[in-house]
Amino acid sequence: MAFRMPNRELSVTEILSRSLGLYSERFMCFLVPSLFSNLANGALWQVMGFFLPSFSLPENYTEEFFLWLVNYLAVAIPIFAFFALIGWVISVLSNGITVRCSADRLEGRHVNLKQAVSFTLTNLSSLLAAGFITGILTLLGFIFFIMPGIIVAVMFSLTVQVVMIERLNAPESLRRSRKLVAGRWVKTFTVLLSVFLIIIVMYVIGDLIGDLIAGSSTVQLSFLKWLITSIISSISQPLNPIALTCLYYSMRTREKPTELKVPPQPTVSAAPPIRLPMPSYPVFQPRFCFKCGQRLPSDAAYCPQCGVRVKP
């Protein structure tokens, strides 16, 4: 199946179908970044557990407990923030790589995972800035009665695509995403919700399979369960950036090419033409009459003897 940029606006069904087809065609190329992200983040949380002090709730909340809790949070919060920051950077990097591979395939370029990683690293600062702003606004929106958070998430859902494809900075990518989504809020929300449900279902399936294979509480089997869950859930995660990339190109078909407008040039008054004096040539004055041979005066126009005109 040939995948190219759409020349018309696609429906939700067409976007999801094209995303699944694109994913199945380059399955390993899309799976590797997602699998690496899940395994790396899972390993980070396991390592973080060794650094965090143990926490247990006492039976009686005394003054000593509250003092201990303050000291515990002073140690735990920086550790948690450090590992969360590393995990977030890995997730952003994986998402950007998937978007780049999807854009390369849709634009007819050769899909190269190594080049996609290099390209994403060059735009990582813009991705992190845009992701941070979007995350803060979405969190604040969910705090205020949930609905504003959903609106913000839908409004800025194409930010990563804009950064990776149009190479805009964070503020410009946020404005560009809002412009692309404008007028298609329901379609964008439907695509996001559909992909979210697929990811949740795959995570539940992975968790159930992990329980069936490694349901014991031993350390080895718990690690095996986590590994199985991570691998199965990684299969569905690339669908989100792939579907949003297809949605991005579909939204772009609504835009009409704008004509280039040349800014008005300043008018410069032309200088009046310079009139050069006509060159003066000396008038030939004969010394003798060509008819009779009479000697002529210096200013004679006619021969004084025969009357012939001698001066032009």
Side-chain angles (χ1 to χ4, degrees):
M1 180 178 181
F3 294 96
R4 290 291 184 269
M5 291 186 297
N7 53 11
R8 60 177 178 84
E9 187 175 357
L10 303 177
S11 64
V12 174
T13 305
E14 290 173 324
I15 291 173
L16 295 177
S17 175
R18 185 168 297 200
S19 302
L20 290 172
L22 180 60
Y23 183 27
S24 61
E25 187 191 46
R26 294 289 190 272
F27 178 73
M28 290 304 300
C29 184
F30 291 122
L31 178 63
V32 169
S34 176
L35 184 60
F36 171 78
S37 175
N38 278 347
L39 294 179
N41 280 309
L44 283 174
W45 293 117
Q46 296 294 328
V47 172
M48 185 183 66
F50 293 103
F51 289 92
L52 287 176
S54 59
F55 180 82
S56 60
L57 292 175
E59 297 181 358
N60 298 320
Y61 294 97
T62 61
E63 182 179 354
E64 289 77 9
F65 168 74
F66 287 105
L67 292 176
W68 173 86
L69 181 61
V70 171
N71 294 328
Y72 176 86
L73 293 177
V75 175
I77 290 178
I79 295 175
F80 177 83
F82 174 76
F83 283 95
L85 179 62
I86 297 177
W88 175 59
V89 172
I90 294 174
S91 299
V92 170
L93 182 62
S94 171
N95 200 21
I97 294 171
T98 306
V99 171
R100 179 62 182 181
C101 291
S102 304
D104 286 342
R105 185 65 185 91
L106 291 174
E107 294 186 9
R109 295 190 296 266
H110 176 66
V111 179
N112 188 300
L113 188 59
K114 183 178 180 180
Q115 292 179 358
V117 173
S118 177
F119 185 84
T120 306
L121 288 174
T122 59
N123 294 276
L124 186 59
S125 59
S126 297
L127 289 173
L128 293 175
F132 178 78
I133 296 173
T134 304
I136 293 297
L137 294 177
T138 304
L139 179 61
L140 293 176
F142 275 108
I143 292 175
F144 294 104
F145 308 108
I146 299 179
M147 185 56 67
I150 297 176
I151 294 174
V152 171
V154 173
M155 183 187 305
F156 300 134
S157 58
L158 300 179
T159 303
V160 177
Q161 282 69 24
V162 173
V163 171
M164 294 299 297
I165 298 173
E166 301 184 17
R167 304 193 69 175
L168 300 179
N169 56 30
E172 292 176 346
S173 63
L174 294 174
R175 289 192 293 267
R176 176 69 170 149
S177 176
R178 183 183 61 183
K179 180 180 178 181
L180 289 170
V181 175
R184 297 296 186 272
W185 293 81
V186 176
K187 174 184 288 189
T188 307
F189 176 75
T190 305
V191 172
L192 289 172
L193 181 61
S194 302
V195 175
F196 175 75
L197 292 177
I198 293 175
I199 294 175
I200 291 298
V201 170
M202 289 297 294
Y203 180 81
V204 172
I205 293 175
D207 191 64
L208 292 176
I209 295 176
D211 285 335
L212 291 176
I213 297 178
S216 178
S217 59
T218 61
V219 176
Q220 293 80 2
L221 293 180
S222 297
F223 173 78
L224 180 61
K225 176 185 176 181
W226 165 77
L227 184 62
I228 294 173
T229 304
S230 298
I231 293 175
I232 295 178
S233 61
S234 298
I235 296 176
S236 61
Q237 287 185 0
L239 282 176
N240 183 53
I242 294 174
L244 290 179
T245 304
C246 293
L247 177 64
Y248 164 83
Y249 283 109
S250 175
M251 295 296 194
R252 276 192 10 179
T253 59
R254 298 184 298 142
E255 298 180 327
K256 296 181 180 180
T258 57
E259 298 180 355
L260 294 177
K261 296 182 179 180
V262 180
Q265 301 296 329
T267 58
V268 180
S269 58
I274 301 176
R275 296 183 178 180
L276 298 176
M278 295 297 294
S280 59
Y281 300 98
V283 180
F284 174 72
Q285 178 65 44
R287 299 179 62 185
F288 299 93
C289 177
F290 62 87
K291 184 176 180 181
C292 64
Q294 175 66 33
R295 186 179 182 88
L296 301 174
S298 58
D299 58 348
Y302 296 91
C303 178
Q305 181 174 342
C306 64
V308 177
R309 185 179 181 87
V310 295
K311 187 176 182 181

